[in-house]
């Protein structure tokens, strides 16, 4: 018989007693300070949308950090990728500690074939969220590969990936994908929309990525200073784990993501550095952006039947915008 004492739950111990947060009756639970979460924790060190617990079809539970500013910890160790939870694990979000209690969680049988495991452990996407997707690509990377030694090339791209990841984490997100000479980062927003502060944070991350990239030639013998192009798009997408029990792949999928990649590609066609989706630009205008900094253009994106409106500009335009923001904040 299943009892309350044996069902999976999070245990929040307080001075007034223990609070039990049930992990049954669903497959996905979000944790955060915002009211739109399944478990609302009033801790100012916790992000509005901080973390997510997901139950796989195998019965295993995963903890996924949602790009929180102060991180999610399991037994004192910060997690940057989805991790499997074990009964008794201590979870820390901000200054709040919880215990993961699941003594009877079903385990994958040892004699289950690898093919069957992959089939049964594949999880469907569960959460539809408002997100901003940033895709950044190194310009003329193919041409550079023909001009420098493979060892140096490996060091350059490794350094760029590492530094890009550090910058994106600093500004409240994570690198969702490393793709060749590009990275994709995702910011997850609340149900109420995107605040000017959030959008400015993303723009600052992009500015920091550009400056980091432009300085790499000072560290390595490159034939020319590296440059990047970027596409930034905001909209709704399905967010969750598309991988398997032993190979989780937490990501976002949908048209919002696809359009971000297409917007980055179109910057080469129109001779600009940055292309913003319409919704991104609408949120950005709430921060008081000068209309002259990013100009409206109509572009044909690959795979789209109708022309798309984008707001494009250069990194000088971006720098000018952030300078105005800083002055207004001062």
């Amino acid at each position: 018989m299943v009892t309350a004492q044996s069902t999976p739950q999070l245990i929040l111990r307080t001075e007034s007693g223990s609070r039990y947060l049930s992990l049954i009756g669903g497959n996905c639970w979000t944790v955060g300070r915002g009211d739109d979460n399944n478990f609302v924790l009033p801790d100012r060190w916790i992000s509005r949308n901080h973390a997510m617990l997901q139950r796989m079809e195998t019965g295993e539970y995963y903890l996924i950090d949602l790009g929180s500013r102060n991180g999610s910890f399991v037994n004192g160790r910060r997690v940057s990728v989805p991790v499997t939870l074990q009964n008794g694990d201590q979870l820390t979000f901000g200054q709040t500690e919880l215990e993961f209690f699941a003594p009877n969680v079903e385990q994958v049988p040892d004699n289950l074939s690898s093919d069957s495991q992959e089939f049964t452990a594949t999880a469907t996407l569960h959460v539809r969220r408002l997100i901003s997707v940033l895709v950044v690509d190194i310009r003329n990377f193919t041409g550079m590969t023909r001009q420098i030694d493979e060892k140096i090339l490996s060091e350059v791209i490794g350094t760029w990936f590492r530094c890009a990841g550090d910058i994106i984490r600093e500004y409240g997100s994570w690198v969702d994908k490393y793709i060749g000479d590009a990275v994709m980062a995702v910011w997850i927003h609340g149900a109420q929309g995107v605040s000017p502060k959030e959008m400015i944070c993303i723009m600052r991350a992009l500015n920091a990525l550009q400056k980091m990239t432009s300085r790499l030639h000072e560290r390595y013998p490159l034939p020319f200073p590296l440059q990047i192009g970027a596409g930034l798009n905001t909209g709704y997408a399905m967010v969750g784990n598309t991988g398997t029990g032993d190979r989780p792949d937490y990501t976002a999928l949908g048209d919002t993501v696809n359009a971000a990649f297409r917007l980055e590609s179109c910057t080469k066609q129109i001779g600009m550095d940055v292309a913003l989706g319409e919704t991104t630009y609408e949120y950005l205008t709430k921060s008081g952006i000068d209309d002259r900094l990013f100009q409206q253009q109509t572009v044909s994106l690959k795979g789209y039947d109708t022309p798309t409106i984008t707001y494009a500009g250069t990194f000088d335009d971006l720098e000018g915008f952030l300078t105005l923001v800083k002055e207004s904040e001062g």
Side-chain angles (χ1 to χ4, degrees):
M1 182 176 69
V2 177
T3 65
Q5 289 72 33
S6 63
T7 58
Q9 55 196 286
L10 295 178
I11 304 175
L12 174 62
R13 305 189 190 283
T14 66
E15 293 181 358
S16 58
S18 296
R19 177 184 170 195
Y20 300 92
L21 310 178
S22 176
L23 296 175
I24 59 175
N27 291 312
C28 178
W29 300 265
T30 55
V31 178
R33 198 178 69 250
D35 293 336
D36 56 331
N37 292 283
N38 298 101
F39 302 139
V40 180
L41 301 177
D43 178 341
R44 68 188 183 92
W45 298 101
I46 293 178
S47 296
R48 187 173 59 254
N49 301 107
H50 197 100
M52 179 168 74
L53 284 88
Q54 187 167 18
R55 182 183 186 278
M56 307 296 287
E57 293 179 20
T58 58
E60 297 173 293
Y61 284 80
Y62 279 88
L63 173 68
I64 303 163
D65 184 80
L66 296 179
S68 64
R69 180 166 295 277
N70 293 315
S72 300
F73 297 79
V74 177
N75 300 325
R77 298 185 63 178
R78 185 166 184 166
V79 300
S80 57
V81 297
V83 296
T84 307
L85 295 178
Q86 305 294 330
N87 182 44
D89 280 347
Q90 301 298 311
L91 313 184
T92 305
F93 309 119
Q95 295 185 344
T96 302
E97 295 187 355
L98 303 98
E99 179 184 344
F100 175 71
F101 179 81
N104 299 321
V105 167
E106 181 182 350
Q107 300 297 320
V108 179
D110 293 336
N111 61 354
L112 193 63
S113 71
S114 59
D115 289 343
S116 297
Q117 284 191 38
E118 184 153 332
F119 175 77
T120 59
T122 298
T124 57
L125 296 172
H126 294 296
V127 185
R128 185 174 184 265
R129 301 301 294 265
L130 179 64
I131 66 171
S132 287
V133 182
L134 175 65
V135 176
V136 178
D137 176 81
I138 299 178
R139 294 282 178 81
N140 301 318
F141 184 76
T142 302
M144 185 182 69
T145 62
R146 304 190 187 103
Q147 301 181 51
I148 64 174
D149 181 79
E150 288 184 357
K151 182 179 179 181
I152 295 177
L153 178 66
S154 177
E155 292 181 6
V156 171
I157 194 65
T159 298
W160 186 75
F161 278 145
R162 185 176 66 254
C163 292
D166 290 343
I167 289 170
I168 290 167
R169 282 190 294 273
E170 178 184 352
Y171 287 92
S173 181
W174 77 97
V175 176
D176 185 288
K177 291 284 185 293
Y178 293 99
I179 312 165
D181 55 353
V183 295
M184 165 187 158
V186 175
W187 279 261
I188 298 180
H189 307 298
Q192 72 278 11
V194 188
S195 68
K197 183 178 179 181
E198 287 178 286
M199 195 56 69
I200 290 170
C201 178
I202 298 173
M203 301 305 278
R204 283 175 171 156
L206 177 54
N207 192 47
L209 287 167
Q210 187 274 331
K211 290 183 175 181
M212 176 273 291
T213 305
S214 67
R215 290 194 296 264
L216 281 177
H217 73 285
E218 299 172 0
R219 184 172 177 179
Y220 298 99
L222 303 178
F224 48 79
L226 293 183
Q227 296 178 318
I228 58 174
L232 177 60
N233 196 37
T234 303
Y236 283 90
M238 297 305 292
V239 180
N241 186 0
T242 62
T244 62
D246 61 338
R247 286 190 289 269
D249 183 16
Y250 179 67
T251 189
L253 295 175
D255 185 65
T256 297
V257 177
N258 296 338
F261 280 91
R262 301 309 186 200
L263 287 169
E264 188 283 317
S265 295
C266 87
T267 59
K268 303 164 189 174
Q269 304 167 15
I270 61 180
M272 292 291 183
D273 298 322
V274 182
L276 310 177
E278 276 194 277
T279 304
T280 301
Y281 185 76
E282 288 173 6
Y283 281 119
L284 200 57
T285 56
K286 296 178 181 178
S287 64
I289 187 173
D290 190 322
D291 291 342
R292 295 168 294 179
L293 292 181
F294 290 89
Q295 298 183 3
Q296 179 178 321
Q297 300 202 31
T298 301
V299 295
S300 296
L301 301 184
K302 184 178 179 181
Y304 289 78
D305 297 331
T306 58
T308 300
I309 293 177
T310 182
Y311 291 83
T314 66
F315 282 117
D316 287 338
D317 295 330
L318 176 59
E319 182 75 26
F321 164 65
L322 292 176
T323 298
L324 293 175
V325 169
K326 187 174 182 180
E327 291 173 352
S328 64
E329 291 175 342

